[in-house]
Amino acid sequence: MKHIYASLDIQALADAMLSHIRAQWKNPFVSPAVLFADAKMEQWFKLHWLQSSANATILMNLKTVRLEQLLFDLIVPPEEANSVRRLPSELLRDCIITQLTTKTASGAYYFTTLDCPDVTQYLSDGAGGIQYIRLYDFAQEMAALFLEYEATRPQSFDEVVTGWQKKLYDDVLGNGICIDGVEYLTFLQLVARNKCANGGSVQFRSEEHTS
């Protein structure tokens, strides 16, 4: 039987959820899986748990699943389950840093070719070099924005990411990032590949492949 709870009081919903988790959690080492839409909600829920219970050890063993990761796993073809991974923000950030600091044939840094004076001024040190602290922050912010846009605005992604941002996105990601035989894809890239292989519609993996 499935129960649906609706309330404007998020703490009341969290308390109801805690009650169900505790009722189902018979073995402290075998946790029920709890699905969260995003990291902030997961962190808030865990903090609420700690404030309402003195047993932090049990919380440490709680199995949590992000919605984006669950959807990613559902559409990865079974034969690619071990060779395709969701692209994490940290890896995308590092790849953006590598791309931005790559030099062109003329010796100029890539970021100066984006045709965006504000980016060039922000990342340049004024002496032909790079401000590396700003570079790290900039790459981290762009990685987070790209993935956030994909998650929250998938239908209008190409309308939101334009100009120099689109060039950076395409040049960094291309058809994916491959490291040691493992291909890292964003969710939109995986959806596009899935649709291409299934006549234009998304094909989900069967339950026997996702258990």
Side-chain angles (χ1 to χ4, degrees):
M1 179 180 296
K2 295 182 179 179
H3 302 273
I4 298 178
Y5 293 85
S7 174
L8 295 178
D9 186 348
I10 190 173
Q11 292 193 4
L13 290 175
D15 289 338
M17 187 173 175
L18 279 173
S19 177
H20 280 287
I21 292 175
R22 288 166 177 157
Q24 296 295 324
W25 203 345
K26 307 300 182 182
N27 185 335
F29 300 104
V30 182
S31 164
V34 182
L35 181 65
F36 291 96
D38 54 55
K40 291 182 179 179
M41 180 57 68
E42 178 182 342
Q43 291 170 358
W44 179 88
F45 178 77
K46 289 182 175 180
L47 178 61
H48 182 72
W49 179 307
L50 289 174
Q51 292 174 339
S52 61
S53 173
N55 197 338
T57 303
I58 294 294
L59 176 60
M60 292 175 60
N61 294 329
L62 180 66
K63 179 180 179 181
T64 60
V65 181
R66 300 280 173 79
L67 179 59
E68 184 179 355
Q69 183 64 58
L70 175 65
L71 293 174
F72 192 95
D73 292 340
L74 285 174
I75 61 177
V76 172
E79 63 274 13
E80 296 182 356
N82 295 322
S83 60
V84 174
R85 294 285 184 273
R86 183 173 66 87
L87 177 64
S89 178
E90 295 80 7
L91 177 56
L92 179 54
R93 175 202 63 208
D94 293 346
C95 290
I96 290 176
I97 289 175
T98 299
Q99 183 67 38
L100 291 172
T101 55
T102 298
K103 287 192 174 183
T104 64
S106 63
Y109 284 111
Y110 169 87
F111 68 83
T112 65
T113 70
L114 291 174
D115 195 25
C116 181
D118 289 341
V119 172
T120 299
Q121 181 179 2
Y122 182 76
L123 296 179
S124 300
D125 64 1
I130 300 174
Q131 296 204 48
Y132 286 98
I133 294 179
R134 287 186 175 183
L135 172 69
Y136 182 90
D137 292 339
F138 178 79
Q140 184 164 264
E141 182 68 18
M142 293 309 304
L145 283 176
F146 285 151
L147 296 181
E148 180 183 345
Y149 289 156
E150 284 202 0
T152 60
R153 310 177 189 180
Q155 303 301 327
S156 59
F157 182 81
D158 289 334
E159 299 174 9
V160 176
V161 179
T162 59
W164 67 267
Q165 292 186 10
K166 186 65 165 64
K167 173 176 170 55
L168 178 61
Y169 179 90
D170 290 340
D171 289 343
V172 171
L173 289 167
N175 295 318
I177 297 170
C178 190
I179 301 176
D180 296 332
V182 176
E183 189 174 15
Y184 294 88
L185 300 175
T186 68
F187 186 67
L188 278 189
Q189 287 178 317
L190 182 62
V191 168
R193 177 182 295 187
N194 187 294
K195 286 183 176 180
C196 183
N198 294 287
S201 60
V202 176
Q203 180 69 43
F204 292 92
R205 295 169 64 181
S206 61
E207 185 176 350
E208 61 185 84
H209 289 126
T210 57
S211 59

